[in-house]
């Protein structure tokens, strides 16, 4: 089987992780510009001040993407370049930069796939309440509309938000992302609702503008499976899927929140404030949402916690995505299993979980259009005789593309695959040590770019549309 010609082969990045130029050309400060400089918050104090200097080297990077045969480049816009203080004056230099980036992609026939919000929030808005504040919601909608107006003639794919579960849970529960708040479930669930209300309004505006493109959102996709076939494990998996999948996917695709979760939040007095009007707009937008972006790295294996609720310690090591944590409500814990394969960062490698999870989604949501907006292997790549030999990455992507073929044969409507990441970049909490790219960046040698083995391999996959996988 070959991937069809309307299936996009791409790769992704995010503004804070690649651009650098944090204080150039009128860009405002963001929450991450501040947070990453608080001692102890990131691995060895790394930050995105320079990142991999994509802001200045985007032409060279896009030329490399073209050489790789990339059909689409997913990147995010830094809100604070467009609106330095979140909702005031537009900065023309910011619009100019993204126009240049988009035009450079189009020069090579690379489809620009834009994420509006990949976690770097203008600092003024963060200080004024961040995602708990109505001001941020209003500002996002204005920012989104500004981007549609400025770029929508050439950009036909917009993702509103990247991974609501991650920036809300790490921001308001684990304290590992800005605003660094710990153990506040009321705020956590409120932030999620506010993000979905902002997403819904952006969808409605986009449709009103009749730009004849697509709009959707990207979610983490980490389907939960019980550690065994017992009734208790099934219960744990149901609970985990309700809180990590249904709570996030239902409002976007069905236009309503899952009762199983909402009833429990009411009972525990941590239910978000929601007006009838907000809920109606979320409902209306769900009928116009064009696609769902899935960021799949690993499934989760869960077991029920019996007895006392364990307290989650708020250490950075607990926020790395590795299993071994109790859920916020103490119902289940994630488990590392002896018979599974793991990366160096203890993320499970499971193409089977990918296929099973995609089929689970098909059962609940039907044949919604899906783009895999992230998937890839974080590794420390070996350098042998000056070659970056990232063979494990090739295996990882190969297995996951094979899994996608299977899912497509099962009737799952997948229309594109974006590897994370196109180039080695800054990992939010793991610095530059955890590499994901097809292109290596030599930080000791003026950020020089170098093609890895996977670069050549991905090029051949795209060339024969995955026939030889
Ligand atoms: C996703 C984010 C990306 C990227 C990726 C890898 O959650 O959307 O921005 O960081 O995960 O994560 P990490 O760098 O922690 O390995």
């Amino acid at each position: 089987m070959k991937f069809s010609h309307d299936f996009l082969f791409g790769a992704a990045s995010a503004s804070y992780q690649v651009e650098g130029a944090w204080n150039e050309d009128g860009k405002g400060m963001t929450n991450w510009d501040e947070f990453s400089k608080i001692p102890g918050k990131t691995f060895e104090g790394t930050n995105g001040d320079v990142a991999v200097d994509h802001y200045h080297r985007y032409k060279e990077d896009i030329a490399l993407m073209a050489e790789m045969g990339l059909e689409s480049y997913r990147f995010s816009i830094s809100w604070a370049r467009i609106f330095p203080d979140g909702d005031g004056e537009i900065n023309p230099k910011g619009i100019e930069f993204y126009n240049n980036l988009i035009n450079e992609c189009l020069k090579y026939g690379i489809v620009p796939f834009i994420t509006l919000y990949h976690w770097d929030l203008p600092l003024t808005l963060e200080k004024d309440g961040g995602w708990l504040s109505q001001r941020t919601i209003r500002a996002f909608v204005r920012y989104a509309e500004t981007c549609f107006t400025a770029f929508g003639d050439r950009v036909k794919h917009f993702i509103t938000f990247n991974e609501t579960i991650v920036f809300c849970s790490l921001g308001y529960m684990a304290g590992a992302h800005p605003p660094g708040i710990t153990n506040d479930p009321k705020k956590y669930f409120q932030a999620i609702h506010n993000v979905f209300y902002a997403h819904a309004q952006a969808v409605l505006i986009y449709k009103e503008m009749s730009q004849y493109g697509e709009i959707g959102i990207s979610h983490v996709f980490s389907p939960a499976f019980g550690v065994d076939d017992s009734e208790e494990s099934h219960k744990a998996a149901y609970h985990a899927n309700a809180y990590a999948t249904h709570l996030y996917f239902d409002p976007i695709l069905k236009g309503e929140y899952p009762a199983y979760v909402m009833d429990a939040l009411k009972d525990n007095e941590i239910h978000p404030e929601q007006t009838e009007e907000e809920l109606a707009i979320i409902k209306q937008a769900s009928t116009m949402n064009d696609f769902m972006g899935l960021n799949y790295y690993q499934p989760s294996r869960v077991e029920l916690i019996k007895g006392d609720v364990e307290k989650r310690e708020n250490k950075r090591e607990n926020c790395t995505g590795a299993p071994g944590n109790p859920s916020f409500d103490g119902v289940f814990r994630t488990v590392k299993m002896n018979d599974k394969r793991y990366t160096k960062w203890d993320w499970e490698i499971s193409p089977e979980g990918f296929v099973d999870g995609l089929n689970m989604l098909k059962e609940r949501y039907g044949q919604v259009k899906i783009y895999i907006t992230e998937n890839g292997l974080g590794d420390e790549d070996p350098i042998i005789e000056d070659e970056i030999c990232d063979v494990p990455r090739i295996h990882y992507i190969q297995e996951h593309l094979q899994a996608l073929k299977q899912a497509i044969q099962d009737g799952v409507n997948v229309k594109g695959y974006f590897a994370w990441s196109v180039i080695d970049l800054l990992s939010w909490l793991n610095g530059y040590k955890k590499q994901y790219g097809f292109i290596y960046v030599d930080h000791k040698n003026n950020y020089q770019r170098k093609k890895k083995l996977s670069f050549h391999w991905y090029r051949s996959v795209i060339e024969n549309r995955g026939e030889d996988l």
Side-chain angles (χ1 to χ4, degrees):
M1 176 208 157
K2 283 186 182 188
F3 287 94
S4 62
H5 280 281
D6 62 347
F7 180 98
L8 281 178
F9 278 105
S13 76
S15 50
Y16 185 72
Q17 297 179 275
V18 290
E19 285 179 3
W22 72 290
N23 57 359
E24 286 182 43
D25 291 338
K27 173 181 164 293
M29 280 273 282
T30 71
N31 56 350
W32 272 95
D33 291 328
E34 184 189 65
F35 187 80
S36 59
K37 288 165 194 155
I38 303 171
K41 289 294 183 190
T42 65
F43 177 73
E44 292 178 347
T46 36
N47 64 52
D49 284 4
V50 180
V52 295
D53 202 26
H54 187 57
Y55 189 80
H56 298 113
R57 292 164 203 253
Y58 71 90
K59 286 193 180 168
E60 179 189 349
D61 291 342
I62 292 170
L64 281 166
M65 293 178 210
E67 189 185 331
M68 191 164 49
L70 215 65
E71 295 175 332
S72 183
Y73 174 34
R74 174 187 175 218
F75 58 90
S76 78
I77 292 183
S78 176
W79 182 345
R81 285 197 197 282
I82 310 288
F83 288 102
D85 60 5
D87 55 6
E89 294 286 310
I90 294 179
N91 170 30
K93 283 272 183 197
I95 303 274
E96 185 186 316
F97 171 68
Y98 291 106
N99 268 331
N100 291 340
L101 190 64
I102 290 162
N103 293 342
E104 197 66 17
C105 287
L106 294 175
K107 185 168 119 187
Y108 296 100
I110 296 174
V111 174
F113 213 112
I114 286 188
T115 314
L116 293 173
Y117 186 78
H118 201 128
W119 308 350
D120 42 355
L121 182 68
L123 190 60
T124 327
L125 297 176
E126 186 74 277
K127 295 284 181 214
D128 198 26
W131 286 107
L132 301 173
S133 156
Q134 291 290 326
R135 177 178 169 195
T136 303
I137 303 174
R138 282 194 302 274
F140 175 81
V141 176
R142 176 162 172 233
Y143 157 63
E145 185 172 4
T146 305
C147 291
F148 302 149
T149 306
F151 312 125
D153 57 334
R154 287 149 295 146
V155 175
K156 296 297 167 194
H157 304 82
F158 285 100
I159 295 167
T160 53
F161 288 91
N162 181 69
E163 298 190 349
T164 308
I165 194 170
V166 173
F167 70 88
C168 291
S169 67
L170 296 189
Y172 297 99
M173 292 295 287
H177 278 202
I181 292 171
T182 51
N183 291 328
D184 199 326
K186 175 94 184 147
K187 288 191 175 137
Y188 167 54
F189 292 108
Q190 187 66 54
I192 299 168
H193 171 69
N194 292 354
V195 167
F196 289 168
Y197 177 45
H199 158 84
Q201 290 181 79
V203 169
L204 296 189
I205 288 177
Y206 185 68
K207 291 296 163 183
E208 264 166 35
M209 292 171 83
S210 297
Q211 293 196 331
Y212 305 104
E214 303 188 304
I215 189 160
I217 192 167
S218 282
H219 281 351
V220 168
F221 183 47
S222 183
F225 302 98
V227 287
D228 55 32
D229 215 19
S230 68
E231 204 179 305
E232 287 179 337
S233 295
H234 280 291
K235 243 182 172 168
Y238 185 84
H239 194 84
N241 283 321
Y243 278 82
T245 300
H246 307 167
L247 171 63
Y248 289 89
F249 287 65
D250 283 14
I252 308 297
L253 298 174
K254 294 173 167 229
E256 56 198 33
Y257 289 94
Y260 177 86
V261 176
M262 289 296 132
D263 291 349
L265 300 188
K266 272 185 199 136
D267 291 348
N268 293 298
E269 294 174 6
I270 49 176
H271 192 278
E273 312 289 331
Q274 302 169 319
T275 66
E276 288 303 320
E277 193 205 334
E278 289 165 5
L279 293 173
I281 286 177
I282 288 175
K283 182 95 200 166
Q284 197 187 348
S286 72
T287 63
M288 301 177 190
N289 185 78
D290 295 302
F291 65 85
M292 184 53 98
L294 305 183
N295 295 352
Y296 176 83
Y297 290 91
Q298 57 171 339
S300 49
R301 309 285 166 185
V302 295
E303 73 182 4
L304 212 64
I305 295 177
K306 294 169 218 157
D308 285 348
V309 174
E310 296 173 40
K311 276 265 168 270
R312 180 189 174 122
E313 273 185 81
N314 293 302
K315 289 195 291 188
R316 200 170 59 81
E317 299 78 66
N318 283 340
C319 309
T320 55
N325 287 311
S327 61
F328 87 98
D329 53 5
V331 171
F332 67 88
R333 74 167 73 75
T334 53
V335 182
K336 184 173 175 185
M337 294 179 74
N338 290 333
D339 61 341
K340 307 290 179 214
R341 294 181 288 151
Y342 291 88
T343 72
K344 282 186 197 150
W345 273 262
D346 267 349
W347 290 18
E348 188 185 332
I349 302 176
S350 178
E352 316 77 50
F354 197 18
V355 181
D356 293 345
L358 286 166
N359 277 293
M360 267 163 57
L361 283 189
K362 188 182 67 162
E363 259 169 54
R364 191 171 176 94
Y365 305 106
Q367 286 193 309
V368 51
K369 182 173 185 178
I370 289 171
Y371 291 100
I372 305 307
T373 43
E374 286 182 29
N375 173 247
L377 176 70
D379 206 356
E380 286 174 283
D381 301 329
I383 303 183
I384 303 166
E385 290 176 4
D386 232 24
E387 281 290 340
I388 299 110
C389 301
D390 58 340
V391 176
R393 176 162 306 107
I394 294 175
H395 286 157
Y396 182 98
I397 296 179
Q398 181 170 31
E399 286 181 301
H400 286 79
L401 283 173
Q402 281 164 344
L404 266 193
K405 277 189 178 179
Q406 179 60 53
I408 290 170
Q409 275 160 0
D410 294 345
V412 181
N413 185 18
V414 188
K415 286 296 178 197
Y417 174 88
F418 292 81
W420 184 267
S421 50
V422 65
I423 189 168
D424 284 348
L425 40 69
L426 173 68
S427 166
W428 303 91
L429 302 179
N430 305 284
Y432 296 97
K433 196 172 157 185
K434 194 176 187 188
Q435 298 161 273
Y436 280 94
F438 296 116
I439 300 164
Y440 171 82
V441 177
D442 189 346
H443 286 255
K444 295 203 183 93
N445 195 1
N446 193 30
Y447 304 94
Q448 208 184 333
R449 279 46 176 157
K450 213 166 173 221
K451 298 166 214 166
K452 301 185 189 179
L453 281 189
S454 60
F455 179 101
H456 306 286
W457 173 81
Y458 197 46
R459 184 198 157 96
S460 71
V461 170
I462 299 172
E463 221 162 50
N464 66 30
R465 308 214 64 72
E467 191 175 19
D468 299 340
L469 281 166

